[in-house]
Amino acid sequence: MEAHGGGLRRVLVLAFCVAGIWSAYIYQGVLQENVSTKRFDGERFEHLAFLNLAQNVVCLIWSFIMIKMWSSGNSGGAPWWSYWSAGITNTIGPAMGIEALKYISYPAQVLAKSSKMIPVMLMGTLVYGIRYTFPEYLCTFLVAGGVSTFALLKTSSKTISKLAHPNAPLGYGLCFLNLAFDGFTNATQDSLKARYPKTSAWDIMLGMNLWGTIYNMIYMFGWPRASGFEAVRFCQQHPEAAWDIFLYCCCGAVGQNFIFLTISRFGSLANTTITTTRKFVSIVVSSLLSGNPLSTKQWGCVFMVFSGLSYQIYLKWQKLQRLQKKRKAV
């Protein structure tokens, strides 16, 4: 009975994590699309980089509170100044990703940003001479083929009319630059974690958002006519936009909580599975609720991409199973 009760508790915690990640990030996606495409009294909110600054500030405060609540004294984690380089790429990358929404639809942006494996494998093959297996190349082919075909297919006139400045090549280019910067950010975070093993997820969140706040403040308010002043003016004139931005930031902070909980309880593979399926649901929600209709061929591309991502998750699961069997054998 105890084992059964423990198993049920574990399933309930997993369901809680899935519900938390899905609800936080799907709603954040709706808000992000709303702020980037909606006209507030006939005006568009053009300063999308302001979303990143607001997100940095909220997550900085949130992580500081969490550390004060749960951390016991000096944890021996990475010092705050060591995040300065990762903070640069973590500021530029997301800014490019969110700026892409001026040029391509939200489903197209989500799909493009789901192809992170492509630059990773390209760099691995060309720079480091890594040889991948046929199934890994098949995953990449499905994802790359799906994203490329989706980009080449004609977008509905209804979706194009909602964009501030329709320009598919520029939009997809910004998304892939975002992925490249994210790759450097993740590598730097892994390096810091290896050098300072006692670094907690909250330490990383605090350090990254501290530098993100500094860099974004300089960019948005560093000179008299900087865009931040115009963004604040817009929010003062349109409280509805300010409320959407605030909720967007809260969703990001809450979502981070659930991601940390999922990784600590169930591992990174479970987190990858949940976040990948969340992206698919976000595309469905955007298509049904936000008025971004996809053609049958475009839906085929979406399924092609997520088939590749699902197969990649399955390969990771198989690899994990083999490692666990080896450890048991030893």
Side-chain angles (χ1 to χ4, degrees):
M1 285 294 290
E2 268 187 47
H4 177 73
L8 178 62
R9 195 179 302 113
R10 188 172 169 81
V11 169
L12 289 173
V13 172
L14 180 61
F16 180 62
C17 291
V18 172
I21 291 172
W22 277 31
S23 56
Y25 286 111
I26 289 171
Y27 187 46
Q28 187 184 48
V30 171
L31 291 165
Q32 184 183 56
E33 187 173 5
N34 193 43
V35 172
S36 63
T37 60
K38 187 178 177 181
R39 292 182 183 276
F40 299 90
D41 297 328
E43 282 189 272
R44 284 185 185 272
F45 184 73
E46 293 279 356
H47 313 285
L48 296 182
F50 185 74
L51 288 176
N52 289 327
L53 171 58
Q55 178 84 88
N56 287 145
V57 172
V58 170
C59 287
L60 175 64
I61 295 168
W62 184 276
S63 56
F64 180 78
I65 293 170
M66 291 297 105
I67 288 171
K68 289 297 180 184
M69 284 177 62
W70 303 108
S71 179
S72 54
N74 185 16
S75 64
W80 65 270
W81 50 263
S82 61
Y83 295 94
W84 72 269
S85 59
I88 294 174
T89 51
N90 195 49
T91 300
I92 298 171
M96 288 181 167
I98 204 165
E99 194 72 12
L101 288 172
K102 291 182 180 179
Y103 311 106
I104 57 175
S105 67
Y106 180 73
Q109 185 227 36
V110 171
L111 211 59
K113 290 176 70 176
S114 298
S115 57
K116 189 177 286 189
M117 68 173 75
I118 298 172
V120 169
M121 288 185 72
L122 277 174
M123 289 292 287
T125 303
L126 299 175
V127 179
Y128 300 107
I130 298 172
R131 291 188 178 183
Y132 296 94
T133 62
F134 174 75
E136 287 173 324
Y137 281 119
L138 179 60
C139 291
T140 306
F141 171 77
L142 286 169
V143 173
V147 173
S148 302
T149 309
F150 188 96
L152 292 171
L153 290 171
K154 187 179 179 182
T155 306
S156 72
S157 56
K158 186 178 180 181
T159 300
I160 291 174
S161 66
K162 293 172 66 180
L163 301 176
H165 311 288
N167 188 330
L170 180 56
Y172 283 106
L174 287 169
C175 286
F176 290 125
L177 283 171
N178 181 8
L179 292 179
F181 280 108
D182 280 354
F184 181 85
T185 302
N186 294 337
T188 307
Q189 286 178 349
D190 291 342
S191 173
L192 286 170
K193 186 78 174 171
R195 275 188 287 160
Y196 304 95
K198 292 184 179 180
T199 301
S200 69
W202 297 119
D203 292 329
I204 294 173
M205 192 175 177
L206 180 73
M208 296 296 291
N209 284 290
L210 171 63
W211 284 103
T213 300
I214 292 169
Y215 294 141
N216 274 311
M217 284 292 287
I218 293 169
Y219 170 68
M220 303 219 71
F221 297 99
W223 52 91
R225 295 194 178 187
S227 59
F229 298 106
E230 186 62 26
V232 171
R233 182 199 64 79
F234 189 96
C235 290
Q236 288 173 336
Q237 291 180 350
H238 307 284
E240 186 185 350
W243 181 245
D244 282 349
I245 291 170
F246 174 71
L247 290 177
Y248 168 87
C249 298
C250 290
C251 285
V254 171
Q256 284 289 332
N257 265 355
F258 283 104
I259 284 177
F260 295 157
L261 177 61
T262 303
I263 292 172
S264 65
R265 292 292 185 92
F266 305 100
S268 59
L269 183 60
N271 181 62
T272 302
T273 306
I274 295 167
T275 52
T276 299
T277 50
R278 188 276 304 171
K279 289 175 183 177
F280 179 79
V281 175
S282 289
I283 291 175
V284 174
V285 169
S286 177
S287 179
L288 297 178
L289 298 184
S290 300
N292 289 315
L294 301 181
S295 65
T296 305
K297 289 179 180 178
Q298 285 177 317
W299 276 117
C301 294
V302 171
F303 280 109
M304 190 175 173
V305 170
F306 284 95
S307 296
L309 293 174
S310 301
Y311 190 33
Q312 185 194 38
I313 291 168
Y314 173 69
L315 292 174
K316 286 181 179 179
W317 178 80
Q318 279 190 321
K319 189 176 179 181
L320 192 63
Q321 293 293 104
R322 286 195 296 269
L323 284 171
Q324 287 175 345
K325 283 181 181 178
K326 281 183 182 179
R327 284 171 186 166
K328 285 178 181 178
V330 173

